Amino acid sequence: MFKRVLFPVVTLLAGLTLSPVLGAQTAAPNAAGKEAKLDKWNSIPPIKPTYAGKKSAPAPRRNLSGVWDAAEADGGRQPSGALEHPALMAPRGQGIEGGQPDETGIMHPLHYTPEGLAALKANKPSGPGVRQVPAALANDPMDQCDPIGFPRMELYELRTFQLLQNANQVIYLNQYFGNFRVIWTDGRELPKDPEPRWNGYSVGKWVDDYTFVVETTGLNPRSWLDHAGRPHSDALRVEERFHRVDHDNMELTVTIYDPKMYAEPWQGLNKYPLHLQPPDYDMPEFICSPIDFAEYKKQVEDEVLPSTEKK
């Protein structure tokens, strides 16, 4: 009985959720081939092709407000690391983007500094990839229900989020872990010597009528950048570029700047498609529960670790 209750927590923590998109009030066929009637509290995902070829009205000027579906083709899950740089092996020992293995045998296209490479080696992710370890041996801070942090909230399990605007702020509400951010638009500068925060300090501005650029600094270095265990330092700066294509579609680009860890900037997302949901869409909870996670971890250790390795 408990395992049935625990299933949502297991999928949350282990990245095994099967539903690729969280959707709105649309009808979807059930197992018998009949259409299921969905109410306003139902989160059964819409069929993916509903986005394909859909005509849209022009984009409103300087407006990001709405609930956005970010699970296009399930790419928002990013279980093997940031979408543009997954930590996977390619055929014949070549990296995904032609990278060569370093002394650890890791295939990756990112250029780490010596400090960054040492930090990478210390991180032990449970997600699928060349550095994957059994879940019971992983040291991912998220697996203890620590805050997922930014920008990992966009580089792992990016599914559905809401943007709200007022005169001085854009409020970012992320479904995963119940995260929220405040992006200031009142012209203030980023703090010079900020006390680290899990989600940092963010300021944004419109560079044209349809492109909103956000700069974030002051990020807690205890968080990871993605599910592949990419590290970051207190020098991390993240740029988000939200480009409103039309009324129903937007693109998100996320760029990482961290000279302590990486020899050059790199993109985690590049013009990633986002789709506007109906105004009455309800985002279901996706929360990490320490109580349920403790039981999940116990079950995993019982199945994976010999008794001599348990702590």
Side-chain angles (χ1 to χ4, degrees):
M1 176 66 182
F2 182 81
K3 288 187 177 181
R4 291 200 297 271
V5 175
L6 185 62
F7 178 74
V9 179
V10 174
T11 58
L12 169 70
L13 298 170
L16 300 177
T17 310
L18 299 178
S19 297
V21 183
L22 295 170
Q25 290 66 260
T26 60
N30 60 21
K34 299 179 180 179
E35 286 197 346
K37 185 177 181 181
L38 308 184
D39 60 33
K40 292 182 179 181
W41 299 98
N42 198 318
S43 62
I44 295 176
I47 302 172
K48 187 63 66 176
T50 56
Y51 296 137
K54 181 180 177 181
K55 293 184 179 181
S56 177
R61 294 178 63 254
R62 303 199 173 202
N63 189 338
L64 304 178
S65 296
V67 176
W68 296 93
D69 169 26
E72 176 74 12
D74 211 18
R77 287 185 61 207
Q78 304 169 93
S80 302
L83 187 64
E84 297 296 317
H85 295 275
L88 296 172
M89 292 286 281
R92 299 179 183 176
Q94 293 297 307
I96 288 294
E97 299 181 19
Q100 297 295 324
D102 57 29
E103 68 274 15
T104 67
I106 300 169
M107 303 298 296
H108 59 77
L110 298 178
H111 300 292
Y112 294 90
T113 65
E115 181 181 353
L117 186 59
L120 176 71
K121 293 178 185 178
N123 293 343
K124 300 176 182 179
S126 61
V130 295
R131 303 181 56 253
Q132 182 179 14
V133 301
L137 300 177
N139 62 359
D140 188 340
M142 191 188 74
D143 288 351
Q144 307 300 323
C145 287
D146 278 351
I148 189 172
F150 179 79
R152 190 174 179 180
M153 70 168 69
E154 292 181 343
L155 301 182
Y156 178 57
E157 289 290 353
L158 181 60
R159 293 174 180 260
T160 309
F161 64 91
Q162 184 169 10
L163 298 175
L164 305 169
Q165 291 182 225
N166 61 39
N168 296 316
Q169 303 165 324
V170 171
I171 309 299
Y172 182 118
L173 305 175
N174 191 297
Q175 177 195 40
Y176 196 62
F177 273 38
N179 254 305
F180 80 94
R181 298 166 55 207
V182 174
I183 302 168
W184 290 95
T185 59
D186 59 359
R188 70 180 63 192
E189 300 289 333
L190 287 166
K192 302 299 183 184
D193 186 22
E195 181 179 350
R197 292 179 177 177
W198 292 103
N199 293 337
Y201 302 77
S202 299
V203 298
K205 64 179 180 180
W206 292 94
V207 296
D208 60 45
D209 284 345
Y210 307 105
T211 307
F212 184 68
V213 176
V214 182
E215 299 285 340
T216 302
T217 58
L219 291 151
N220 193 324
R222 290 182 292 173
S223 65
W224 291 3
L225 289 180
D226 63 9
H227 205 49
R230 271 64 178 265
H232 73 85
S233 73
D234 56 1
L236 173 64
R237 177 172 63 88
V238 181
E239 180 190 274
E240 298 162 279
R241 185 171 290 263
F242 295 88
H243 175 64
R244 189 84 181 252
V245 177
D246 53 35
H247 183 273
D248 298 310
N249 299 282
M250 187 159 61
E251 295 173 340
L252 172 61
T253 298
V254 178
T255 305
I256 304 298
Y257 301 86
D258 190 344
K260 289 185 180 180
M261 296 288 168
Y262 303 95
E264 59 188 19
W266 57 277
Q267 287 185 339
L269 295 174
N270 183 23
K271 297 182 179 179
Y272 187 79
L274 308 171
H275 303 284
L276 186 65
Q277 299 302 293
D280 60 352
Y281 176 83
D282 177 69
M283 288 194 296
E285 286 187 342
F286 217 153
I287 303 296
C288 186
S289 165
I291 295 174
D292 288 336
F293 176 77
E295 178 61 27
Y296 163 70
K297 187 171 186 293
K298 178 179 180 297
Q299 292 179 14
V300 169
E301 288 183 346
D302 287 343
E303 295 177 4
V304 175
L305 292 180
S307 58
T308 55
E309 294 186 32
K310 296 178 183 177
K311 295 183 180 180

